[in-house]
Amino acid sequence: MRSYSPDLTPPWKKPSPVPEVPADPGLVVEEPRTGFCGAVIRCEAGTVTLEDRFGKHRVFPLEPRGFLLEGRVVTLVRPKAPVRRPTRTASGSVAVPGARARVARAGRIYVEGRHDAELVEKVWGDDLRIEGVVVEYLEGVDDLPSIVASFAPGPDARLGVLVDHLVPGSKEWRIAESVTSGHALVVGHPYIDIWQAVKPSSLGIREWPAVPRGQDWKKGVCRALGWPENTGEAWQRILARVRSFKDLEPELLGRVEELIDFVTANGGA
C-alpha cells in the first residue's frame, strides 16, 4: 500500500493560482524570460508560436505561469475549438491566407513617432507586407525637409508622411506644405497625439481627458485616468485594446489608407 506525505508548505509560500487564457490568434503576450512580445499565430500540442511587430517568429512551450498578458501572469492553453482563418485583416481588407511578403518597394511611409509606427503595424501590418511597403518613424517633423531632400522621392520611389496634429497655420502645416510634391505626400490627423486616434470606447472610457495647456499631455492623461505616469506602459495598455480598424477614429483610418494608396500607385513600385 502506497503512503503519501502531507504537503507541509505554508500557505503563504504556495504560488497563487493564475488565470488560464486560450491562445487565440492575435492575442498579444510577452514571454518574461526572454522579453519577447508578440501576437499568437499558431498553437499546437505543447507549444505556441508568437510573431513580433517586425515579423519575427518564436516558438515557446505552453508552461504554467509562462506568459504575461497586459502585465499579468497567465497560463496559456490551447483553444478549445478549431480556429478558423480570418477572412479579413485588422484593417478590414480581404485576408490572403499563405500570402508571402513582397520585396520592399523603394517608396516609404514615414510616421512621426514609435507609437504611431506600432499602431500602423498592428492594424495595417498584413496589408503593408503584401504590398511591400516599409514604415519608418521620425522624431518629430522639424527635420522633415532634410529627410525628404535626402530621400529624393520620384516616380519609382514615392514618399508618404503621416503627421500628428496637422492643422492649417501650424508649424507642422507649414513644414508639410514646403515638402509636398507630386511624389511626396504629407497628410495628418487632428489629434494632439496618436493616442487620441484610438476610440475612447475601446479603452472603456467616455472620452479622452482634457489636459490643461502647458502640461505634458501624455502624463496628464495618465493622471486623469488614474494610471501610473509611465507613458510607455500606458501606451502598451492602449495598444493592447486595439484589435482592428474598428477601434480607431475615421480621421486616422482615411489618412493611412490614403498614404498606402499613394505609395503603391502605378509608378511607385
Side-chain angles (χ1 to χ4, degrees):
M1 181 175 180
R2 297 178 62 185
S3 61
Y4 295 90
S5 300
D7 185 357
L8 301 179
T9 305
W12 58 88
K13 289 189 176 182
K14 294 182 179 180
S16 57
V18 300
E20 292 187 347
V21 178
D24 293 323
L27 181 72
V28 178
V29 295
E30 178 183 347
E31 203 285 325
R33 287 173 296 183
T34 62
F36 189 90
C37 183
V40 173
I41 62 170
R42 187 180 306 109
C43 185
E44 300 171 327
T47 65
V48 62
T49 303
L50 305 182
E51 180 185 65
D52 70 8
R53 64 188 183 89
F54 301 107
K56 183 178 180 180
H57 292 185
R58 291 282 298 273
V59 180
F60 297 100
L62 286 175
E63 296 179 343
R65 308 171 65 90
F67 297 88
L68 297 178
L69 175 62
E70 297 184 7
R72 296 182 302 128
V73 177
V74 298
T75 296
L76 288 187
V77 296
R78 292 187 70 184
K80 294 181 180 179
V83 178
R84 296 181 179 179
R85 292 184 179 273
T87 57
R88 296 278 175 178
T89 66
S91 71
S93 301
V94 176
V96 185
R100 300 185 63 181
R102 175 175 172 166
V103 175
R105 295 172 182 264
R108 290 288 187 276
I109 290 177
Y110 279 92
V111 296
E112 195 163 340
R114 181 171 60 85
H115 293 177
D116 307 61
E118 290 176 345
L119 185 62
V120 169
E121 161 61 27
K122 185 162 188 180
V123 176
W124 287 274
D126 290 340
D127 305 42
L128 293 169
R129 280 184 283 277
I130 290 176
E131 294 290 349
V133 177
V134 174
V135 175
E136 301 181 19
Y137 67 88
L138 313 165
E139 289 294 346
V141 298
D142 290 343
D143 296 329
L144 186 56
S146 60
I147 291 173
V148 173
S150 176
F151 185 86
D156 297 324
R158 292 187 171 190
L159 179 63
V161 183
L162 178 69
V163 178
D164 294 344
H165 203 225
L166 189 62
V167 294
S170 66
K171 177 190 72 174
E172 292 83 2
W173 184 83
R174 291 191 294 272
I175 292 175
E177 287 287 296
S178 71
V179 301
T180 298
S181 68
H183 306 303
L185 174 65
V186 182
V187 300
H189 55 73
Y191 305 112
I192 296 173
D193 188 89
I194 197 68
W195 289 20
Q196 276 190 313
V198 178
K199 290 180 178 178
S201 58
S202 297
L203 301 175
I205 60 177
R206 179 175 299 178
E207 60 185 2
W208 283 99
V211 177
R213 193 165 185 171
Q215 292 188 18
D216 183 283
W217 186 82
K218 291 179 180 178
K219 291 184 178 180
V221 166
C222 291
R223 285 193 295 269
L225 295 178
W227 297 351
E229 290 184 32
N230 183 320
T231 57
E233 290 183 2
W235 170 243
Q236 291 306 314
R237 178 191 297 222
I238 295 167
L239 188 62
R241 301 301 292 270
V242 176
R243 302 297 184 185
S244 74
F245 72 98
K246 296 179 182 179
D247 295 305
L248 303 181
E249 298 287 1
E251 289 82 356
L252 176 67
L253 295 173
R255 301 294 73 76
V256 175
E257 296 287 352
E258 184 179 358
L259 289 178
I260 295 175
D261 290 344
F262 178 78
V263 172
T264 59
N266 291 338

